[in-house]
Amino acid sequence: MRTYLYGRFLGERKGLRPDLDYDDELLFLGCVLHDVGLSSEGDGDQRFDIDGADLAARFLTEQGVAADRVEVVWDAVALHLCFDVAVRKRPEIALVTAGAGYDLGPSGPALPDGYADRVHAVLPRLHASAVLYDEIVDQALAKPHKAPPFSMPGELVRQRTGQEWPTWRQLMDGTPGWNDYDGYPPPA
């Protein structure tokens, strides 16, 4: 819910008007479902953002939501960790990402005086960032393929465990491989 309130606020700061410039219901659905992949029901075999998008789509489809609307929510949930991609998409998708990011650490336009206090009084944070971190890492430790190198979940696991990622060269030189570095000059 905080993601929705912050996403809407950020949209207003860009001059976007609910139900005129974007579908407010789709923004709401994307916001409230964006981390559903961290639930026990959402914990599948993909990264949590993709698991969450799939679960959100199944849920909305079962509720009779039209396929084109489900697709927007799927994109919003799946892309909420991909800021540079999401901000180039339609406003509902961009604002889910912006709102989720703002909820973790408010960067961007300042909220009106007392706004955050009112939001947090009704929707307390309850250690939101710490719980989010633990949920992502716990899922990934149980199913390491959910945290591939260089992904956000992978980076959180690396931070928790201290494990080192393979370098690009190590990944490319692995088996099977194309031997692209055989005979290639080393960097200067």
Side-chain angles (χ1 to χ4, degrees), residues 52-66:
D54 289 347
L55 177 58
R58 281 192 309 274
F59 171 75
L60 295 174
T61 300
E62 289 168 3
Q63 303 309 308
V65 176

Side-chain angles (χ1 to χ4, degrees), residues 3-32:
T3 294
Y4 170 70
L5 295 172
Y6 295 141
R8 242 186 116 160
F9 163 77
L10 293 167
E12 289 171 7
R13 288 295 187 252
K14 291 183 177 196
L16 298 175
R17 298 158 301 169
D19 293 327
L20 294 172
D21 298 314
Y22 65 90
D23 187 312
D24 196 46
E25 181 181 46
L26 292 178
L27 173 62
F28 177 81
L29 292 170
C31 287
V32 299

